[in-house]
């Protein structure tokens, strides 16, 4: 073994010596050689090779993934934790305003104006209550350049008893009203045919006072679970101190039921009116009138997703008991609406008509200066075709645009009486009272309204009506304006202070009268009454939850305009008062 190792070592050393001898010869001259450089050397950088961050592994052992299975070993753990019940967070809210059942108001102003009101109500039991309302408004007059007494009084008392049951509720109402007005509107040229002494004596002899009385009794029933939905009944007695009297009684039952998911309504009416005047305007004969109108109004209401339609008709049978004449009328009662853009834009249209019974009381409420010598008759409202758009421009701004075309027969119009300066005339026979005349008319109207609630403390509204009239018999649409504009603004300044302003404009109207004692040199032409503008304001202070003081200003511009021909209104007016709320 030792011999073999020695031979291996000797062989390795021999090979190493031969290699050194071959690779290098000691002191040997290798000579010279010429090298020609054809191109200068330009070093370049070869493309770099980026080593991947995560190199791919081809080892099969590394590519295999172990499937891991997880198991949850659960076991109950005893706990002594008890969660507390959740509570709603406190919300800051304003204190609820206390509601009072009763109130009293009293105010005083210039022209010796008194305004008083008392409202009381009391629960008799859980289902019964009684209430009463007393109102009074009066003024001692004092209008500039008016030669007759121009004071007025208006006092009314209303009593109510109510009973509310689960399926039936009903009320009984009683009331009385007393009104005093004066025919103070003498013509501008009154007394032109008299000498000054006779004129003054004639004016002093005129007693312009006219007093009205009204008594009514009525009841109303409402059913919640019956085909018979509601009914109302009322008797009204109206009379004056000039020998005039009027009785009116009506009954209005209503039925409602469903047929194939559609609502069917049936409204009935029986309306009686009868009255008399002591004499006509010429003082020749007495006047009597009497009408009985029987009507039925069936309709069906259909509601779908974005549209609704109310299809119906009104049928009337009218008996003129004084003239022994009977008439039969049929009127459309159609309304439809379509939501074009949700509640932002709603299109609506329809055609309506009806028989409107005029009365002496209705005329005096509209114009208290009529003479007690009127011709009373119903108005045949043949149709009123209309269409419009309504909706919202924003969440707090709403609008309504409407156009209509209306046809009426026996349309009632107020017109000044012709007069004379005869001392034997009645107190209303000196051009200071109005007659009622009738005409067949066509009326085209356009109406626009805009309302805005800028906040819960500020609200604003403006509206306008534009009319065009066409008469068949009368020369003009007497005392009907072509333009009406109105606007209002109400502001809650603070929690205690509030204020408001409302203004309105009424356009020109036409009227006509003649002094029969003077032979006119030229034909009498209608008189144009100037349009008038009126501005009113109010200011209030809530001293506490019971007591509130107020200040009202009317006709702030102090205009002596004429609402009716020869009847100037009171100038600037103020009213100061307070209102007190209470419970028994």
């Amino acid at each position: 073994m030792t011999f073999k190792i020695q031979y291996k070592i000797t062989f390795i050393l021999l090979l190493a010596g031969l290699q050194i001898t071959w690779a290098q010869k000691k002191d040997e001259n290798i000579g010279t050689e010429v090298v020609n450089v054809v191109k200068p050397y330009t070093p370049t950088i070869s493309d770099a090779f980026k080593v991947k961050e995560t190199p791919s592994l081809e080892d099969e052992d590394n590519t295999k993934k172990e499937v891991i299975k997880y198991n949850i070993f659960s076991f109950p753990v005893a706990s002594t934790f008890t969660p507390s019940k959740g509570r709603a967070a406190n919300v800051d809210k304003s204190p609820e305003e206390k509601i009072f059942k009763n109130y009293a108001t009293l105010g005083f102003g210039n022209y010796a104006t008194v305004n008083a009101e008392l409202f009381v109500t009391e629960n008799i039991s859980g289902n019964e209550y009684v209430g009463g309302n007393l109102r009074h408004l009066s003024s001692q007059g004092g209008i500039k350049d008016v030669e007759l007494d121009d004071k007025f009084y208006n006092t009314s008392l209303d009593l109510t008893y109510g009973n509310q049951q689960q399926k039936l509720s009903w009320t009984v109402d009683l009331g009385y009203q007393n009104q005093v007005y004066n025919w103070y509107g003498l013509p501008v040229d009154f007394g032109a045919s008299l000498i000054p002494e006779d004129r003054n004596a004639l004016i002093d002899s005129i007693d312009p006072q006219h007093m009205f009385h009204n008594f009514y009794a009525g009841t109303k029933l409402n059913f919640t679970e019956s085909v018979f939905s509601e009914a109302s009944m009322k008797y009204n007695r109206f009379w004056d101190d000039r020998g005039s009297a009027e009785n009116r009684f009506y009954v209005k039952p209503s039925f409602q039921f469903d047929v194939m998911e559609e609502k069917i309504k049936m409204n009935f009416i029986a309306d009686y009116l009868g009255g008399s005047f002591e004499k006509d305007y010429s003082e020749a004969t007495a006047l009597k009138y009497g009408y009985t109108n029987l009507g039925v109004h069936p309709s069906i209401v259909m509601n779908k997703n974005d549209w609704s339609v109310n299809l119906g008709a009104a049928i009337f049978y009218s008996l003129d008991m004084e003239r022994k004449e009977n008439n039969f009328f049929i009127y459309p009662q159609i309304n439809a609406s379509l939501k074009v853009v949700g509640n932002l834009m709603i299109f609506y249209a329809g055609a309506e008509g009806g028989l409107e019974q005029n009365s002496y009381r209705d005329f005096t409420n509209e114009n208290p200066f009529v003479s007690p010598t009127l011709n009373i008759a119903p108005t045949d409202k043949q149709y009123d075709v209309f269409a419009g758009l309504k909706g919202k421009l924003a969440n707090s701004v709403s609008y309504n645009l409407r156009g209509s075309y209306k046809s009426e027969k026996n349309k009632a119009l107020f017109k000044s009486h012709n007069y004379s300066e005869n001392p034997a005339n009645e107190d209303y026979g000196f051009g200071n009272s109005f007659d009622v005349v009738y005409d067949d008319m066509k009326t085209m109207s356009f109406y626009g309204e805009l309302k805005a609630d800028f906040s819960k403390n500020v609200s604003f509204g403006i509206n306008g009506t534009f009319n065009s009239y066409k008469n068949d018999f009368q020369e003009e649409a007497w005392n009907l304006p072509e333009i009406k504009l109105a606007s209002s603004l109400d502001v809650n300044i603070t929690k205690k202070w509030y204020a408001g302003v409302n203004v309105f404009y009424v356009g020109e109207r036409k009227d006509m009268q003649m002094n029969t004692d003077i032979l006119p040199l030229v034909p009498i032409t209608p008189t144009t009454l100037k349009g008038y503008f009126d501005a009113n304001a109010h200011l209030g202070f809530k001293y506490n939850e019971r007591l509130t003081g107020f200040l009202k200003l009317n006709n702030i511009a102090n205009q002596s305009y004429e609402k009716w021909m020869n009847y100037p209104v009171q100038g600037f007016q103020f009213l100061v008062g307070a209102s007190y709320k209470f419970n028994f």
Side-chain angles (χ1 to χ4, degrees), residues 269 293-299 310-318 327-335 350-357 377-385 406-410:
I269 181 172
N293 301 320
L294 304 175
V296 58
H297 175 199
S299 65
N310 188 333
L311 296 175
I315 304 170
F316 281 91
Y317 182 69
S318 179
N327 293 285
F328 186 75
F329 305 93
I330 299 179
Y331 302 101
Q333 291 286 335
I334 303 172
N335 286 277
E352 297 178 346
L355 185 65
E356 299 179 350
Q357 180 60 66
T379 295
D380 175 14
K381 184 179 177 182
Q382 295 179 307
Y383 56 83
D384 182 4
V385 181
K406 180 166 53 178
S407 176
E408 296 171 288
K409 285 189 174 182
N410 274 353

Side-chain angles (χ1 to χ4, degrees), residues 159 161 171-175 216-220 232-235:
L159 302 175
Y161 167 80
T171 60
V172 176
D173 302 309
L174 292 172
Y216 73 90
T219 183
K220 186 173 183 180
S232 60
M233 179 174 61
K234 187 175 182 180
Y235 168 74

Side-chain angles (χ1 to χ4, degrees), residues 269-314:
I269 181 172
D271 187 357
Y272 164 79
L273 176 72
S276 63
F277 296 102
E278 195 172 69
K279 60 185 71 174
D280 61 12
Y281 191 73
S282 63
E283 304 181 33
T285 58
L287 294 175
K288 291 184 179 181
Y289 56 94
Y291 295 91
T292 298
N293 301 320
L294 304 175
V296 58
H297 175 199
S299 65
I300 179 172
V301 180
M302 295 179 289
N303 293 312
K304 298 301 179 183
N305 294 332
D306 292 328
W307 59 270
S308 64
V309 177
N310 188 333
L311 296 175

Side-chain angles (χ1 to χ4, degrees), residues 324-523:
K324 308 302 180 182
E325 296 177 357
N326 303 326
N327 293 285
F328 186 75
F329 305 93
I330 299 179
Y331 302 101
Q333 291 286 335
I334 303 172
N335 286 277
S337 65
L338 172 65
K339 293 182 178 180
V340 181
V341 187
N343 291 326
L344 300 180
M345 181 181 294
I346 301 174
F347 172 78
Y348 64 93
E352 297 178 346
L355 185 65
E356 299 179 350
Q357 180 60 66
N358 299 308
S359 68
Y360 183 35
R361 171 168 170 74
D362 293 339
F363 288 144
T364 58
N365 284 337
E366 188 174 354
N367 183 351
F369 309 114
V370 293
S371 65
T373 60
L374 305 179
N375 178 24
I376 305 296
T379 295
D380 175 14
K381 184 179 177 182
Q382 295 179 307
Y383 56 83
D384 182 4
V385 181
F386 61 88
L389 288 174
K390 63 181 179 179
K392 292 185 176 182
L393 299 176
N395 289 334
S396 60
V397 181
S398 62
Y399 67 92
N400 186 10
L401 301 173
R402 185 180 190 271
S404 67
Y405 183 76
K406 180 166 53 178
S407 176
E408 296 171 288
K409 285 189 174 182
N410 274 353
K411 169 72 173 179
L413 303 172
F414 295 106
K415 181 181 179 297
S416 294
H417 275 296
N418 293 330
Y419 67 98
S420 68
E421 296 168 353
N422 187 348
N425 289 346
E426 293 289 340
D427 297 311
Y428 51 79
F430 299 99
N432 55 338
S433 66
F434 293 83
D435 191 13
V436 172
V437 297
Y438 295 86
D439 197 359
D440 295 346
M441 294 182 56
K442 303 290 193 301
T443 305
M444 182 175 291
S445 298
F446 296 96
Y447 173 79
E449 181 183 36
L450 187 68
K451 291 183 178 180
D453 294 326
F454 299 110
S455 68
K456 65 179 181 180
N457 295 321
V458 181
S459 61
F460 172 78
I462 186 171
N463 63 78
T465 304
F466 306 89
N467 299 312
S468 176
Y469 308 102
K470 181 181 178 181
N471 301 76
D472 288 348
F473 306 112
Q474 298 293 324
E475 191 173 348
E476 297 285 350
W478 306 119
N479 283 292
L480 293 181
E482 294 184 350
I483 300 176
K484 283 185 177 182
L485 302 173
S487 181
S488 63
L489 175 66
D490 292 294
V491 180
N492 291 324
I493 304 172
T494 65
K495 292 183 178 180
K496 291 184 174 293
W497 289 94
Y498 64 91
V501 177
N502 68 83
V503 297
F504 61 88
Y505 172 79
V506 177
E508 295 180 346
R509 290 93 57 224
K510 298 291 184 66
D511 205 339
M512 186 172 67
Q513 68 178 177
M514 179 179 64
N515 185 347
T516 58
D517 288 337
I518 301 176
L519 182 63
L521 300 178
V522 296

Side-chain angles (χ1 to χ4, degrees), residues 33-63:
E33 186 176 356
V34 178
V35 178
N36 295 324
V37 179
V38 178
K39 180 180 178 181
Y41 173 71
T42 302
T44 60
I45 299 176
S46 61
D47 294 336
F49 177 78
K50 181 179 179 181
V51 179
K52 294 183 179 180
E53 182 178 356
T54 305
S56 60
L57 301 177
E58 297 179 355
D59 194 341
E60 293 182 357
D61 293 337
N62 292 333
T63 58

